[in-house]
């Protein structure tokens, strides 16, 4: 398309000359418009499409440099040339203010005029394009998040984008002309030593490079910020470097996030203690040190006693707070070089590093037992918790983290079996027990549904008459491979894993059903005793369960006797008394089993609505040869009689024991001397044939 020129002059001669010259230009004619007034020209320019302006600065409506100024303001991107005479100061001034040049009036006819115009139009177009390109680059560089700094070959800064200004604290104006090292001061974040000059590094290899990790930028105000960066040479068209561009960004957020993630991966959320993974690492590390120093280390495995009960009765929120309180106390019992970790639930593992002997480990375990047992104030409540601790020692009990933890775990179970709230060292014999425990637990889980339980029955006998006064139901597990398994082998495990609750419910139902069957078969009704474990007794719906079973089976509550050990009563005396009273109101008989093995205070018995005292068989066993036991037994019989309680001696095996008990006015007894626990059928036989009278009385 032809270039369009506007000629602004009041001199028709000049206008004609120019129109002719331009209209017949050799390399293509120009489109020419002529106007006389500035105002007309300005109006025309606003419409657009003009490629260059030729103006005579003296017009009918404007004179002098003001004419140029107004045109320039109206069309800043359109090249302007003035028409002037030789030595025209005004034309020079116009050039200084942005005009592209001037045409001397005496040369208007020259063929150079179209060529000159063509040149300035092209040059202006190139300048515009370049300007636009630069503006676009500038916008792009300022809108990216990365900071960009450019330098020349000497490392003198000639450009900073906005992000770089913010990161360094230097404005572009302040920074330009400075050496890169003044503005982009970088050090190694770990050693604090200055990093090498980036410009030198880049120019040395003449290709783009990433800077070392852990680079820290020291900002203008002296503060530090972690950055990640790269730098590259800026090459000209010939591929020759002319400077360096450095691009970097703030990685402190990403770094702190990564640190947080790493922490989370290695720590327990609730207590912020190291978790299993981190503990394993620490133990492995401690083992390496111990090997080098030829020393020992200890691993303590802790499991809180009865924590499940607290969690179930007071809620998880309280349980969580208790775990946090425990965490604090545990941390206070060890040194900074030791590790307290939480394995999940109420299990903690402690690594005592740095050459700990067995004595040190025992001392720490003792300290823990003492400190944990103190009341924990949680939500205005004082909670009590104890723990059982197992201890393993490197290298005797394991040469790697896994074995050491497992050994300590096994020893912990041993501590539980020893009555909780104590610590035990691992012994290799425990391994056998652990295997046994696993075997029992795994099989126990399916025993109920496989119908592997039966009840055996042991008569209670009137020591004077030999008449059967009652019967105790005793649980037996008939396992296809293990044969008959006695309660001693599985009861603790059933309690620990909560299986005792459904099993106990089965026992109660079976015992009541059997008692009813005997009555229906024509036997005289006698009371049937069922053993209730602590875990069952503390179950929320225990009382309702008993009532439902009595209702369902139709057994008269007066013939059901529940046997509870004295430690169960003592643990939470008030709550126990309330439950016992409810049972009592329903008409159920209550017996204290294994009496004398627990807290042994007769006076507390008055607080409970008890009917029966069962003297533990350990007192009966040596009754005749051990005078102490004899004295205890006669005292218990005396007290029981005073309190109007029935007293039953357990474990009577021979005539001597029987005679002694009779001499002390003990009314009832139970033991192999009369009968072992027997099946329901055998018991039926015994009662119908033996006319209810057994034993050699
Ligand atoms: P326990 O209630 O004190 O039961 C008496 C235990 O002594 C029974 O052992 C019985 O077989 C045994 N025994 C009876 N007479 C003699 C004797 O003359 N000499 C000796 N040495 N032992 C005798 P068993 O059946 O092995 O039960 C042990 C314990 O297991 C019971 O002690 C009771 O605490 C618990 N248990 C048994 N059955 C159940 C049950 O159904 N539920 C609950 N929760 N516990 C039960
Ligand atoms: Mg019993
Ligand atoms: Mg007993």
């Amino acid at each position: 398309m032809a270039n369009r020129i506007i000629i602004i002059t009041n001199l028709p001669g000049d206008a004609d000359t120019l129109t002719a010259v331009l209209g017949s230009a050799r390399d293509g004619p120009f489109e020419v418009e002529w106007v006389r007034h500035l105002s007309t020209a300005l109006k025309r320019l606003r419409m657009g499409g003009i490629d260059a302006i030729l103006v005579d600065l003296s017009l009918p409506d404007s004179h002098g440099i003001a004419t140029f100024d107004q045109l320039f303001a109206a069309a800043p991107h359109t090249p302007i040339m003035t028409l002037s005479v030789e030595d025209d100061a005004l034309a020079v001034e116009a050039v200084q203010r942005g005009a592209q040049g001037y045409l001397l009036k005496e040369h208007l006819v020259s063929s150079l005029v179209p060529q000159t115009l063509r040149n300035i139009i092209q040059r202006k177009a190139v300048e515009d394009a370049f300007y636009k390109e630069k503006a676009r680059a500038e916008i792009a560089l300022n809108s990216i998040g990365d900071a960009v700094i450019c330098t020349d070959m000497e490392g003198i800064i000639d450009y900073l984008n906005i992000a770089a200004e913010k990161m360094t604290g230097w404005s572009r104006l302040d920074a330009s002309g400075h050496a890169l090292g003044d503005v982009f001061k970088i050090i190694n974040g770990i050693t604090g030593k200055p990093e090498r000059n980036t410009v030198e590094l880049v120019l040395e290899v003449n290709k783009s490079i990433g800077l070392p990790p852990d680079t820290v930028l020291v900002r203008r105000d002296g503060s530090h910020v972690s950055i990640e960066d790269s730098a590259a040479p800026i090459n000209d068209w010939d591929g020759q470097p002319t400077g360096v561009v450095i691009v970097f960004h703030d990685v402190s957020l990403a770094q702190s996030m990564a640190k947080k993630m790493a922490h989370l991966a290695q720590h327990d959320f609730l207590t912020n203690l190291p978790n299993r993974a981190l503990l394993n690492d620490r133990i492995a590390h401690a083992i390496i040190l111990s090997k080098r120093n030829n020393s020992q280390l200890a691993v303590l495995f802790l499991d809180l006693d009865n924590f499940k009960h607290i969690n179930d009765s007071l809620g998880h929120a309280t349980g969580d707070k208790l775990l946090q309180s425990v965490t604090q106390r545990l941390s206070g019992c060890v040194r900074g070089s030791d590790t307290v970790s939480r394995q999940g639930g109420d299990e903690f593992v402690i690594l005592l590093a740095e050459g700990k002997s067995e004595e040190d480990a025992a001392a720490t375990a003792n300290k823990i037992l003492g400190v944990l047992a103190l009341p924990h104030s949680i939500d205005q409540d004082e909670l009590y918790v104890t723990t059982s601790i197992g201890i393993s020692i490197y290298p005797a009990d394991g040469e790697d983290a896994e074995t050491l933890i497992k050994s300590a775990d096994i020893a912990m179970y041993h501590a539980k079996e020893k009555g909780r709230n104590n610590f035990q060292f691992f012994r290799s014999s425990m391994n056998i027990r652990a295997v046994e425990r696993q075997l029992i637990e795994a099989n126990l889980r399916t025993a109920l549904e496989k119908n592997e339980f039966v009840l055996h029955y042991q008569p209670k006998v009137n020591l004077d008459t030999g008449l059967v006064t009652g019967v105790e139901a005793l649980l037996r597990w008939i396992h296809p491979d293990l044969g008959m398994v006695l309660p001693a082998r599985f009861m603790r495990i059933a309690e620990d894993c909560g299986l005792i609750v459904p099993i106990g419910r089965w026992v109660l139902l079976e015992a009541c059903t059997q008692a009813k069957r005997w009555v229906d078969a024509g036997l005289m009704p006698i009371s049937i005793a069922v053993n209730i474990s602590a875990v069952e007794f503390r179950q929320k719906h225990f009382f309702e369960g008993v009532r439902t079973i009595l209702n369902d089976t139709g057994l008269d509550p007066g013939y059901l006797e529940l046997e509870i050990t004295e430690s169960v009563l003592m643990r939470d005396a008030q709550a126990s008394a309330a439950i016992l009273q409810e049972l009592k109101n329903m008409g159920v008989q209550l017996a204290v089993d294994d009496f004398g093995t627990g807290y042994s205070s007769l006076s507390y018995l008055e607080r409970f609505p008890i009917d029966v005292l069962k003297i533990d068989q350990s007192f009966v066993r040596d009754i005749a040869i051990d005078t102490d036991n004899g004295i205890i037994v006669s005292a218990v019989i005396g007290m029981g009689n005073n309190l109007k309680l029935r007293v039953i001696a357990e474990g009577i095996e021979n005539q001597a024991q029987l005679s002694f008990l009779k001499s002390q006015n003990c009314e009832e007894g139970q033991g192999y001397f009369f009968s072992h626990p027997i099946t329901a059928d055998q018991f039926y036989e015994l009662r119908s044939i033996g006319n209810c009278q057994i034993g050699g009385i």
Side-chain angles (χ1 to χ4, degrees):
M1 217 171 64
N3 289 127
R4 186 172 286 272
I5 308 295
I6 187 166
I7 300 168
I8 314 164
T9 177
N10 199 28
L11 304 174
D14 286 357
D16 286 349
T17 313
L18 279 169
T19 308
V21 168
L22 295 173
S24 59
R26 246 189 291 146
D27 51 350
F30 288 82
E31 304 271 355
V32 181
E33 294 178 26
W34 169 41
V35 298
R36 287 168 179 271
H37 293 85
L38 178 65
S39 55
T40 328
L42 291 175
K43 228 180 268 167
R44 174 62 191 88
L45 283 172
R46 249 173 259 132
M47 288 158 63
I50 299 297
D51 295 310
I53 301 165
L54 293 178
V55 61
D56 189 330
L57 293 179
S58 43
L59 297 172
D61 55 350
S62 176
H63 285 284
I65 199 70
T67 311
F68 171 79
D69 285 347
Q70 288 187 64
L71 280 172
F72 188 65
H77 299 297
T78 311
I80 303 173
M81 294 187 90
T82 53
L83 303 172
S84 57
V85 289
E86 196 121 30
D87 290 336
D88 189 345
L90 213 53
V92 175
E93 194 180 349
V95 167
Q96 280 163 357
R97 291 180 177 226
Q100 254 59 39
Y102 48 85
L103 290 178
L104 289 177
K105 290 195 178 191
E106 43 272 44
H107 296 147
L108 289 186
V109 282
S110 161
S111 63
L112 287 176
V113 171
Q115 206 177 328
T116 310
L117 263 180
R118 201 87 71 194
N119 282 346
I120 65 160
I121 289 170
Q122 260 165 21
R123 198 172 70 207
K124 186 75 181 168
V126 169
E127 267 174 22
D128 265 9
F130 177 72
Y131 182 82
K132 272 188 199 145
E133 195 66 18
K134 204 176 153 200
R136 190 181 299 160
E138 180 86 38
I139 289 168
L141 281 172
N142 279 335
S143 51
I144 59 172
D146 282 340
V148 178
I149 297 179
C150 301
T151 75
D152 63 14
M153 291 289 286
E154 273 66 52
I156 302 299
I157 291 176
D158 49 29
Y159 178 80
L160 262 82
N161 72 347
I162 291 178
E165 288 183 327
K166 275 193 201 146
M167 289 267 289
T168 58
W170 285 76
S171 73
R172 189 199 296 200
L173 215 63
D174 285 357
S176 69
H178 271 273
L180 179 71
D182 295 344
V183 175
F184 186 67
K185 206 181 280 177
I186 50 172
I187 58 172
N188 181 292
I190 294 163
T191 62
K193 289 202 179 119
E195 292 286 6
R196 256 196 77 189
N197 185 301
T198 314
V199 173
E200 281 174 17
L201 273 176
V202 171
L203 294 180
E204 216 169 82
V205 292
N206 195 22
K207 61 176 189 204
S208 83
I209 54 168
L211 292 189
D214 302 314
T215 299
V216 164
L217 171 71
V218 182
R219 312 174 71 203
R220 196 175 192 180
D221 64 6
S223 61
H224 287 191
V225 55
S226 295
I227 57 166
E228 214 169 66
D229 51 5
S230 65
I234 303 172
N235 290 334
D236 65 10
W237 287 333
D238 302 330
Q240 289 306 307
T242 61
V244 171
V245 56
I246 297 139
V247 180
F248 56 101
H249 59 266
D250 183 349
V251 291
S252 30
L253 201 69
Q255 271 180 0
S256 76
M257 196 67 144
K259 257 190 211 152
K260 217 183 207 165
M261 299 292 282
H263 184 87
L264 279 179
Q266 295 200 309
H267 289 78
D268 166 47
F269 183 71
L270 177 68
T271 59
N272 203 27
L273 288 176
N275 63 12
R276 197 186 298 255
L278 183 52
L279 175 80
N280 280 340
D281 265 15
R282 297 252 176 102
I283 296 182
H285 186 70
I287 285 176
I288 294 171
L289 287 182
S290 289
K291 236 180 222 161
R292 194 179 302 153
N293 303 334
N294 212 2
S295 64
Q296 296 189 318
L297 62 87
V299 172
L300 275 58
F301 198 112
L302 284 80
D303 185 290
L304 302 183
D305 302 326
N306 301 316
F307 179 75
K308 191 174 162 353
H309 174 57
I310 292 175
N311 227 5
D312 289 348
S313 53
L314 301 177
H316 287 278
T318 306
D320 284 353
K321 284 182 197 159
L322 182 60
L323 288 174
Q324 283 162 344
S325 171
V326 165
T327 299
Q328 265 182 359
R329 293 195 190 171
L330 289 180
S331 304
C333 287
V334 300
R335 287 200 278 166
S337 51
D338 300 330
T339 300
V340 178
S341 79
R342 179 165 174 246
Q343 300 282 295
D346 58 347
E347 290 179 346
F348 296 84
V349 173
I350 299 177
L351 162 68
L352 301 180
E354 286 196 356
K356 287 290 164 50
S357 66
E358 295 207 4
E359 290 78 52
D360 295 330
T364 305
N366 254 328
K367 192 164 152 195
I368 290 172
L369 290 175
V371 168
L372 277 196
L374 299 172
H376 297 256
S377 303
I378 283 152
D379 299 338
Q380 282 106 44
D381 274 332
E382 303 257 281
L383 296 186
Y384 290 84
V385 69
T386 57
T387 185
S388 302
I389 307 175
I391 305 174
S392 63
I393 303 283
Y394 169 88
D397 305 332
E399 303 219 354
D400 55 62
E402 199 189 338
T403 316
L404 283 169
I405 294 174
K406 198 169 148 230
S407 298
D409 188 10
I410 291 170
M412 185 278 293
Y413 268 111
H414 208 65
K416 290 260 183 216
E417 279 172 4
K418 283 259 159 115
R420 305 184 164 134
N421 195 21
N422 73 101
F423 69 87
Q424 295 292 322
F425 279 97
F426 175 78
R427 302 275 168 258
S428 49
S429 60
M430 291 177 184
N431 252 328
I432 301 156
R433 296 180 60 92
V435 171
E436 150 93 359
R437 201 192 145 89
Q438 268 173 358
L439 172 84
I440 295 288
E441 185 172 333
N443 283 283
L444 204 55
R445 293 194 179 274
T446 55
L448 254 189
E449 60 198 61
K450 287 190 182 159
N451 252 327
E452 290 172 353
F453 289 118
V454 293
L455 291 184
H456 280 189
Y457 299 90
Q458 188 179 37
K460 296 176 184 174
V461 174
N462 181 298
L463 299 187
D464 283 329
T465 62
L467 290 174
V468 174
T469 55
V471 62
E472 177 172 7
L474 293 161
L475 184 59
R476 301 291 178 258
W477 176 19
I478 315 294
H479 187 272
D481 302 327
L482 303 172
M484 184 161 86
V485 188
L486 291 175
R489 221 172 136 190
F490 66 84
M491 199 51 82
R492 188 48 158 274
I493 299 169
E495 283 179 352
D496 284 347
C497 59
L499 280 170
I500 188 62
V501 174
I503 293 175
R505 207 177 299 129
W506 178 87
V507 170
L508 195 62
L509 179 64
E510 177 65 15
C512 292
T513 309
Q514 185 57 60
K516 193 72 184 14
R517 259 187 233 132
W518 283 325
V519 176
D520 293 345
L523 294 183
M524 281 269 291
I526 49 169
S527 76
I528 183 155
V530 174
N531 293 285
I532 303 296
S533 83
V535 180
E536 290 175 82
F537 186 71
R538 284 199 228 100
Q539 265 283 296
K540 239 188 196 162
H541 303 295
F542 174 67
F543 171 73
E544 278 83 32
V546 174
R547 187 166 52 195
T548 309
I549 287 174
L550 283 171
N551 277 342
D552 291 353
T553 56
L555 182 72
D556 180 343
Y559 290 115
L560 177 63
E561 192 170 290
L562 299 183
E563 295 192 3
I564 296 151
T565 58
E566 51 184 332
S567 53
V568 174
L569 301 182
M570 290 309 291
R571 189 158 299 147
D572 192 358
Q574 241 172 357
S576 300
I579 299 169
L580 290 178
Q581 194 56 54
E582 280 187 290
L583 291 164
K584 191 79 219 131
N585 295 344
M586 199 161 54
V588 172
Q589 299 279 301
L590 301 168
V592 178
D593 202 354
D594 304 344
F595 186 76
T597 55
Y599 297 81
S600 292
S601 149
L602 275 173
S603 60
Y604 82 84
L605 283 182
E606 288 176 304
R607 294 159 54 185
F608 302 109
I610 299 293
D611 305 283
V612 181
L613 271 190
K614 297 188 76 176
I615 302 176
D616 190 68
Q617 45 182 276
S618 58
F619 297 101
V620 175
R621 194 171 302 134
D622 306 324
I623 219 166
I625 40 171
D626 185 328
T627 39
D628 278 353
N629 274 354
I631 291 167
I632 291 171
V633 169
S634 52
V636 171
I637 295 168
M639 288 286 281
N641 288 343
N642 277 347
L643 290 168
K644 307 256 176 313
L645 301 177
R646 274 163 58 209
V647 178
I648 303 180
E650 293 186 273
I652 305 174
E653 292 183 352
N654 57 46
Q655 185 63 51
Q657 293 162 343
L658 174 63
S659 304
F660 181 88
L661 289 163
K662 279 173 78 168
S663 73
Q664 300 298 319
N665 294 324
C666 181
E667 256 180 72
E668 285 177 65
Q670 206 180 332
Y672 297 163
F673 186 64
F674 308 110
S675 168
H676 279 259
I678 48 180
T679 64
D681 289 346
Q682 288 170 327
F683 189 74
Y684 177 79
E685 298 273 290
L686 175 93
R687 286 196 66 208
S688 45
I689 298 165
N691 202 16
C692 303
Q693 195 177 17
I694 51 172
I697 301 166

